Structures are given as structure tokens and as C-alpha cells.
Amino acid sequence: MKIAVCIKRVPDTETRVKIAGDGVSIDEAGVKFILNPYDEFAVEEALQRRGEPGEVVVVTLGTDAAAETIRTALAMGADRGVLLKVDRIPADALAIAKALAAELKDGGYDLVLFGKIAVDDYNHSVGVMTAELLGMPCISAAVKLTVDGRRLTVEREVEGGIEVDECELPAVITCDKGLNTPRYPALKGIMAAKKKPIETKPAALPAARVTVRSLALPPERKEGRIVGEGAAAVPELVRLLRQEAKAF
Amino acid sequence: MASAYEGVDFYDISAQLSEEERAVRDTVRAWVDEKLMPVINEAYIEGRFPRQLVPEMAELGFFGANLPEEYGCAGLNNVAYGLIMQELERGDSGVRSFASVQGALVMYPIYAFGSEEQKKHWLPKLASGELIGCFGLTEPDYGSNPAGMITTAKETASGWVLNGAKMWITNGSTADVAIVWAKTGAIDDTKSIRGFIVPTKTKGFSARDQKGKLSLRASDTSELVLQNVEVGKDALLPESGGVKSPLMCLTQARYGIAWGALGAAMGCYAEALAYAKQRVMFGKPIGGYQLQQARLAEMLTEITKGQLLVLHLGRLKDQGAMRPQQVSLAKRNNVNVACEVAREARRLLGANGILVEYSAMRHMANLESVYTYEGTHDMHTLILGEDVTGLAAFE
């Protein structure tokens, strides 16, 4: 199968971010960037589905620095990368989807995979919008994929149960946690990635219609309080949970 | 890949690493977090090496990672190799020791002193973890003085017969193959020391677990006995000759130890720092008291100096300009630093510091072995003393 995986470079989820001076972006100084964790599921799934003959192409829209993220996917085992270069990733998901769709539409892909969200902006949008622009069926937040010829069966975790969907290839799938266990980039893979091709070209990015107006950090959590010790403290704890914390 | 442990990098030394070097470090770091940390405490308490981890360590390329790809290795540079050791030892010195022995003391001598046939036969199997190796140099009465060894190899019509005993052998009981060093000539002829590749199932070869260890408990340490062990001519490492050969292997391993010990120190510091910020005593976190801040500042300073030391040493090694005495300095310094950091971290943790749930005391106990093996701290002092004065103090 020829599979495209659309990935994104995001700040490490363990990083404590600071807001930059412009008030609408984060200060990247000292921040470690990683391959978006949901995209790791997409890369892993693509590698498992590739087959022979097959090709896994990773595509990202980002700055020059995103080449490192592409190489992470190449180190995991993807075959080649495409970097759609921008000076800054816009907040407008549709603009990004259009740039990705322009790259993907003539690629002859059987399957296009995304992570279900990027953990930095939580948009949930780019994958499904890209599917629409490509005219492909889209199933989001997949936890299991089964391919039988050109028929794709996808399981999704919905409220209280599992939904099983079907569609024909080519299709766009966004991947959720639980789909697989992503492999580590092996050391040989890291060395091999240096020799794999990355094509860099300017992104065909339309004007953004959505912009970020402000960013704010969540309010600091208040300090905890010890209401007492042992069984005698339980009634007071229950009262506070009910009346102050409104936990139930 | 997100790791809860972010390392210790006060001088932004990461920026001096290449993208591949960082990627290698991150793979090992994540693996240690997800695969080693969850099992190490139990393995340590039970006193067994977590052998189930070997296939994945091999698959990820942790063994002999700085040896060439044509032999099934990752072909990394020496800085990346050092970073592997650093991250592994953040997990546990015993697990790092396993990788050191497999790579620097078993694969390296085959690579450096072996015939092309031996390299093609053994290295891919050792890289893939299909075979586990050990290194037999130290003897019960010859530790710091390996040239005094009394293990012998006598040439016969069909090959060699080995006799002797080896002590403190990491991986000894688990190994499929041993690199055994023995004298092929007179017992005072140190030039006659040669290396042999000895399959451990050979008749006359036996290994016995070293019991009662209070350090490196998650590592297999054994005594080897060779009683009329007959091997073929192809067991001899043809390019080995004199005590210099095993010492060259030790230089490789010590280089990795200089990085590894620092990893243990970084783990202890990170644990101590997190604890200091969260543990409240007299109404505020203990990190707010000057005594604990002094501890943390001292640990951070020594770790940072050690990091700069090994990074530069690694660059020298990659340029082919590294001298064994420079490795002695780094091993001596960084292991000593790690011992001190682990002890101070344990103290900062108070009573909790004696529990296995925290890493500090496990590292502290492990590092006492690391301080003593691969050239004791004292021997490295004398190696440096000899190097700067031209006068040997140990002969």
C-alpha cells in the first residue's frame, strides 16, 4: 500500500510552556519538540500496513525545524518525507488542510493517516478537513483498523462502547490512542534516516481566516488542605467536597 | 516521544549534540522510562539480571553500537555511544554493565583482534542478542595487576587447552561465549597473553554465581573455572598480543563508564530535586532550606563539569585523538562524582531515601562496584600520576 502520514512537530507534553512576548505564541527557547504523540500511532500503523510493494511517505507542514520531526518518523521506518515549508504554522486549520490536500491529491495514496489531534492546538480538524478536500471518506479517532482488499473496517471508541465503521480505500483515517504501540526509533533506523530523502517545498498556503487573538496559561492550582486525620475527618471532608469543591 | 525524565542540562549541552545524537539519547531515555524502570526494583531486590529485556535492547541497537553496520551494529559515533551508556545507567548500573560487557569487552575485542571470519561469525549474533558474552580477565589473585594472571593456554596439535580461574565476571553465568585471556608462554611472560573465544558450553568450562552481593544486584556476576578446556585453533584472536590487548578493551569500557556513571548521578539529582520541591517540613518545601540547596548546587555543579568532560572526551575519541590516560581521568572523576551525588541524594531524601521505591540508594550501592571495577579509583589515580611524572608508583 502507498500510505501518507501527516505529522506535526509539537512541544514535548512534559514541557512547561511560556507565552512569548507577542502574546499569541509560545516562547520556543529551551522547549523540546517531539513528534505529536497521536501521529506516532499513525506512523506505526502505516509501517505495519505498508506491505510489499508499499511506501510510507510522511508529510508535514512546518518550519525548517520540522525536518527533524520528519527524520524521527524516517528513523521509525518511513521511506521518505515531504516538508511543506512555512515561516509559521497558521492557526487556521482549513488553510493547513488545503496545503496538505494540494500535496496529497495526485500522490496516488491508498490510505492517508493523521493523528486525531495535535497536542499543541487540540484542533481535531486538519485530518477531517483534508479528507473532505480530497473527496475521500474519513473515519476519525480509530482504535483498530482491518483491511480486506479495498475494504477498510475501523473501530472507534464512542461514549460507552465501540462503533464499527466501514469504507472503501482510498480513505483518510485519524488515529487514536490504543490503535497500536508505536515502536522506538532504533539506533540503526536513526542512522538510516540520514540517508532517506526529504523533499522541501513551499506550502501552497491560502490566506488564514482564523487567527489567535491571545494565549493564557491556566490559573495556578490552589494549595491542598488537610482537614484532619483518620475516620473522624471524613464527615468534614465529605461536607467540603460537596459544598466547596462541588464534586457531587 | 515524551519522557517524564528530562535529564540534567544546566549548560544546554544538548545544543552541542547533533540531531542523531539527541535522537539516540531520546530513544534510550524513553526505553529506560517505559521498559526498565518498571521492572528494575524487583529485579534488584530479587538479585537477578532482567534478562527479558535483552531482545529489545538488541533490536534497538544498544550492543556494540559504535561498531560498523557491516557486522550488524548501528555504526554510531562515540558520543552517541556514550549517551546510550548515560541513559542506561540512569536506569541501573547493572543493566549498563551488561551492555558495556557485551559491546566493549566482547564485541570490541573480536572486532579489534579477530579475523574477518571471526568477526562475520560472532559480531552479528552478539549485536542481535542471540548470543550473550562475558570477558574473563580478572583472576582471584590478579585484579589491579592483570599482567600477573596465571591462566594458561597450551597449544596442541588441534588447537589450545585452557586452564585457570576468572573472578568477578559480569554476565558469567548467562553468557554463551567468553573472551578469555590467558598466557600462552611462561608465567612471567606478559607478552604471551592472548585472547580466546570460548563457547561456555565447552567441556571443562563452568561458571558459578557470586553470592551475597550488596551492589549490582540486578547484574549477573560469576566466577569462571576452566579445567582442561579444549578449543580449536580458530578460538584464538589472531591480532591479540600482550596485556595491552585486554587493556585496550578496558579503555573502551571505561570510556562508556565515564558517561554511564554520570547518568546515574543525573537520575539521583533529578530525583532529589523533585523531592526537595515537594517534601514539606516546618511548613515549607525542604528545597527552600539552605542546607538542601547547598546539596543540590554541589550535585549540579559536579554533574555539569562531568558532562563537559565526557562530551569533549567523546569528540577526541571520534577524532582518534583520545589517550587511555584521559579515559582514566574521566572514569576516575565521573564515577567519584556519581558516588557522592548518589549519597547526597539519598541523604536529602531522608528516611524515604533508604527505600527501593526511590533510586538513590540502589544507585549508591551500585556505584561502589563501579568505583572499584574497570580500574579502581586508586589505580586510575596512579595511572594519572605516572602519566604526569613519568614515574610508575604501582610496580
Side-chain angles (χ1 to χ4, degrees):
Chain A
M1 270 210 285
K2 187 171 180 184
I3 306 173
V5 188
C6 297
I7 63 168
K8 189 179 185 187
R9 176 179 182 262
V10 297
D12 192 331
T13 46
E14 300 290 330
T15 297
R16 298 181 72 131
V17 296
K18 281 187 234 145
I19 294 167
D22 64 7
V24 295
S25 61
I26 67 157
D27 181 358
E28 296 194 358
V31 173
K32 188 181 166 209
F33 285 85
I34 58 168
L35 171 59
N36 176 40
Y38 288 94
D39 300 347
E40 287 185 3
F41 301 123
V43 173
E44 177 62 39
E45 197 63 22
L47 296 175
Q48 290 183 17
R49 305 267 155 213
R50 175 169 47 191
E52 194 66 48
E55 189 183 26
V56 173
V57 182
V58 284
V59 181
T60 193
L61 181 141
T63 62
D64 283 326
E68 182 170 359
T69 313
I70 291 179
R71 276 190 289 272
T72 302
L74 298 180
M76 287 171 75
D79 298 292
R80 63 184 172 90
V82 178
L83 170 57
L84 304 175
K85 215 182 120 180
V86 290
D87 296 328
R88 185 173 181 157
I89 297 177
D92 186 342
L94 185 58
I96 297 169
K98 282 180 176 168
L100 289 173
E103 169 62 27
L104 296 169
K105 68 176 174 7
D106 299 322
Y109 294 104
D110 301 297
L111 186 60
V112 178
L113 298 176
F114 284 79
K116 75 163 182 180
I117 48 168
V119 298
D120 56 351
D121 61 22
Y122 267 65
N123 255 339
H124 292 82
S125 322
V126 175
V128 289
M129 285 177 167
T130 306
E132 177 69 18
L133 294 167
L134 290 171
M136 289 185 191
C138 178
I139 301 174
S140 61
V143 294
K144 189 175 177 194
L145 290 191
T146 316
V147 183
D148 182 11
R150 300 300 287 173
R151 180 135 289 264
L152 185 63
T153 309
V154 178
E155 289 187 13
R156 311 172 63 241
E157 278 178 6
V158 294
E159 188 67 38
I162 300 284
E163 175 185 294
V164 182
D165 297 346
E166 273 189 342
C167 69
E168 292 288 319
L169 294 177
V172 176
I173 305 295
T174 73
C175 301
D176 202 351
K177 187 176 178 168
L179 181 61
N180 52 45
T181 307
R183 68 196 67 189
Y184 301 100
L187 308 192
K188 273 187 223 170
I190 291 168
M191 298 305 279
K194 288 201 289 191
K195 297 176 198 124
K196 292 180 179 174
I198 297 179
E199 185 189 354
T200 304
K201 48 186 163 183
L205 202 60
R209 294 182 298 180
V210 176
T211 53
V212 177
R213 207 167 101 181
S214 70
L215 275 183
L217 294 175
E220 288 225 12
R221 260 195 303 183
K222 282 196 203 123
E223 216 175 295
R225 181 151 45 111
I226 294 168
V227 295
E229 272 183 35
V234 172
E236 174 65 0
L237 182 64
V238 170
R239 187 188 69 78
L240 288 170
L241 283 173
R242 194 193 295 273
Q243 291 177 2
E244 275 191 28
K246 307 216 186 298
F248 49 89
Chain B
M1 227 176 314
S3 167
Y5 167 75
E6 290 181 339
V8 179
D9 191 7
F10 197 64
Y11 269 25
D12 193 20
I13 296 168
S14 283
Q16 302 300 314
L17 302 175
S18 71
E19 185 186 310
E20 295 85 55
E21 288 162 353
R22 285 196 301 271
V24 166
R25 178 197 64 194
D26 291 348
T27 282
V28 188
R29 184 170 288 178
W31 181 84
V32 167
D33 264 342
E34 291 160 21
K35 300 297 173 72
L36 178 55
M37 296 315 272
V39 302
I40 189 60
N41 292 346
E42 199 181 313
Y44 193 87
I45 292 287
E46 290 173 7
R48 65 175 167 78
F49 172 67
R51 191 176 172 160
Q52 74 276 14
L53 300 176
V54 170
E56 198 171 46
M57 292 171 79
E59 195 185 314
L60 290 172
F62 295 176
F63 303 142
N66 55 350
L67 299 179
E69 291 166 68
E70 57 178 306
Y71 301 117
C73 305
L76 301 181
N77 71 13
N78 286 291
V79 169
Y81 173 84
L83 289 163
I84 298 172
M85 298 300 135
Q86 172 189 293
E87 294 304 318
L88 285 180
E89 195 151 359
R90 195 263 301 184
D92 189 77
S93 300
V95 175
R96 196 271 307 140
S97 296
F98 180 91
S100 281
V101 169
Q102 183 85 350
L105 297 181
V106 178
M107 296 171 72
Y108 172 79
I110 293 171
Y111 172 69
F113 311 122
S115 65
E116 195 53 39
E117 214 173 9
Q118 288 171 329
K119 291 186 221 184
K120 289 214 168 87
H121 177 74
W122 293 102
L123 293 178
K125 291 190 174 80
L126 290 158
S128 70
E130 183 188 333
L131 296 178
I132 291 173
C134 68
F135 178 84
L137 174 68
T138 296
E139 298 185 359
D141 294 322
Y142 298 94
S144 292
N145 176 22
M149 71 171 67
I150 54 172
T151 296
T152 58
K154 299 285 178 225
E155 197 163 8
T156 63
S158 58
W160 299 87
V161 178
L162 278 70
N163 276 290
K166 298 289 179 181
M167 190 84 178
W168 307 114
I169 307 306
T170 300
N171 304 352
S173 300
T174 13
D176 303 290
V177 60
I179 302 296
V180 175
W181 299 90
K183 281 180 179 153
T184 56
I187 216 70
D188 56 356
D189 179 8
T190 62
K191 286 199 184 67
S192 78
I193 293 173
R194 310 290 298 270
F196 295 86
I197 306 173
V198 183
T200 57
K201 61 174 191 289
T202 312
K203 192 164 169 266
F205 186 105
S206 60
R208 200 171 51 199
D209 259 358
Q210 181 67 58
K211 302 281 184 207
K213 283 187 302 172
L214 297 175
S215 172
L216 290 185
R217 289 186 51 77
S219 174
D220 160 22
T221 312
S222 305
E223 183 184 358
L224 309 181
V225 176
L226 297 99
Q227 206 165 17
N228 293 320
V229 173
E230 289 180 39
V231 290
K233 288 188 187 302
D234 60 352
L236 175 72
L237 288 169
E239 305 300 324
S240 67
V243 73
K244 184 166 179 282
S245 298
L247 292 183
M248 281 169 69
C249 303
L250 294 182
T251 297
Q252 303 301 313
R254 289 164 181 173
Y255 167 79
I257 292 167
W259 282 88
L262 217 51
M266 288 159 64
C268 289
Y269 169 80
E271 180 175 80
L273 177 61
Y275 190 84
K277 291 205 269 196
Q278 155 260 308
R279 172 72 172 167
V280 174
M281 194 56 58
F282 301 111
K284 68 173 177 179
I286 61 169
Y289 294 100
Q290 291 182 355
L291 286 174
Q292 307 306 350
Q293 290 191 358
R295 277 207 164 98
L296 292 167
E298 193 62 34
M299 289 185 209
L300 179 63
T301 304
E302 291 305 321
I303 288 169
T304 303
K305 284 150 73 178
Q307 287 172 329
L308 293 167
L309 198 64
V310 282
L311 179 61
H312 188 68
L313 187 69
R315 298 288 182 228
L316 287 176
K317 192 170 193 298
D318 281 329
Q319 291 159 18
M322 181 187 83
R323 298 168 57 228
Q325 293 83 355
Q326 292 169 329
V327 181
S328 285
L329 189 150
K331 192 271 181 187
R332 179 181 183 275
N333 180 76
N334 283 11
V335 177
N336 192 50
V337 161
C339 286
E340 295 299 321
V341 168
R343 180 172 297 273
E344 289 303 315
R346 206 241 35 91
R347 289 175 177 168
L348 184 147
L349 290 163
N352 281 323
I354 70 162
L355 298 176
V356 77
E357 282 93 297
Y358 294 88
S359 304
M361 187 141 173
R362 177 168 52 81
H363 280 307
M364 190 183 105
N366 279 338
L367 287 161
E368 286 299 312
S369 294
V370 182
Y371 184 91
T372 301
Y373 74 24
E374 294 276 357
T376 65
H377 185 81
D378 294 349
M379 285 308 294
H380 288 297
T381 307
L382 301 183
I383 288 168
L384 291 175
E386 182 190 17
D387 194 52
V388 295
T389 64
L391 305 166
F394 49 84
E395 280 174 5

